[in-house]
Amino acid sequence: MKASRPGAGLRAGVAALALGVGVMPVLAQSLPKPARAASSAAAAAAPASAPASSAAASAYGQRFATVCAACHGANGRSGTPLTPVLAGQPSLYTITQLFLFREGRRGDAGMTAIAKTLNDDDLRGFSSFVGTLAPVPAPAPDTPPDTARMAAGRKLAQEHKCVFCHGADFAGGQQVPRIGGQHEAYLKASLHGFKDGTRPGYTRAMTEALNQVPPADLDVLAYFLARVPVALSAGASK
């Protein structure tokens, strides 16, 4: 039997989730036959899920304020260096990360504990709400950015084709996160995690892109990206 491509089931599952389709039947198609049968049986026993309605948007805003804002900030701009900024993030990227946490693919104990309690409607509802959060600039730094490091970081971003996926303003879109104005510590941890394989992605694109990039260059990239002016339009955040 021909093996499925690595990550094909994950991509299919996230796509189904974003479209409001039950995830388990789609994931089942990428499994070997015995596992597929078990998954199909579980899917048949599970209640059907419907997409979150527009009437529920305010409810997820309230739940965000209760569940998420303490760490990520009421406006999506967290004040903790290793807690990512959600303001301005595309909803499709957000639902992917929530799915990865819920399925145990990403290893943050706090986020996994929360995500494990969420059903498919919750993942869609929270990610849709995050997609409405306008980008928020970082607070003014105590000292001006180092001109030489900023120039080096911009050159690296061009050289390693960061702009091809994340955009010239690094605002991202669809499955690609907004990285401009993200916390430097979070960017650094993520870039090194992708390079060494400890940070899983929706695909292997980031791991492959960073495979040959020296660790010191990743630090310069993180420094630069954290300090680029934030594009204040939400863009393709939905």
Side-chain angles (χ1 to χ4, degrees), residues 61-76:
Q62 293 170 3
R63 289 181 66 181
F64 181 93
T66 302
V67 178
C68 313
C71 294
H72 290 282
N75 63 355

Side-chain angles (χ1 to χ4, degrees), residues 24-146:
M24 291 181 69
V26 179
L27 284 175
Q29 297 308 307
S30 67
L31 298 174
K33 287 184 178 178
R36 186 184 305 174
S39 180
S40 299
S49 234
S53 67
S54 56
S58 61
Y60 279 102
Q62 293 170 3
R63 289 181 66 181
F64 181 93
T66 302
V67 178
C68 313
C71 294
H72 290 282
N75 63 355
R77 176 97 211 171
S78 70
T80 306
L82 285 173
T83 301
V85 175
L86 300 183
Q89 292 295 353
S91 59
L92 188 54
Y93 171 75
T94 304
I95 202 171
T96 303
Q97 301 313 303
L98 288 173
F99 183 80
L100 289 170
F101 281 123
R102 191 181 72 176
E103 302 305 306
R105 301 292 189 95
R106 287 193 62 182
D108 181 279
M111 278 302 303
T112 299
I114 292 171
K116 289 287 188 184
T117 69
L118 306 180
N119 61 31
D120 288 358
D121 286 349
D122 293 332
L123 265 59
R124 287 190 286 270
F126 277 115
S127 62
S128 293
F129 176 75
V130 169
T132 70
L133 295 174
V136 179
D142 295 333
T143 57
D146 183 283

Side-chain angles (χ1 to χ4, degrees), residues 186-195 206 210 218 221-222 225:
Y186 182 79
L187 286 167
K188 187 182 295 187
S190 297
L191 289 170
H192 284 276
F194 281 126
K195 179 177 173 61
M206 282 298 296
L210 300 177
L218 299 182
L221 274 170
L225 292 168

Side-chain angles (χ1 to χ4, degrees), residues 145-169:
D146 183 283
T147 305
R149 283 197 97 188
M150 291 296 288
R154 185 173 294 279
K155 182 179 179 181
L156 287 169
Q158 294 286 342
E159 178 183 336
H160 297 299
K161 300 180 173 57
C162 304
V163 295
F164 281 27
C165 293
H166 294 277
D169 57 1

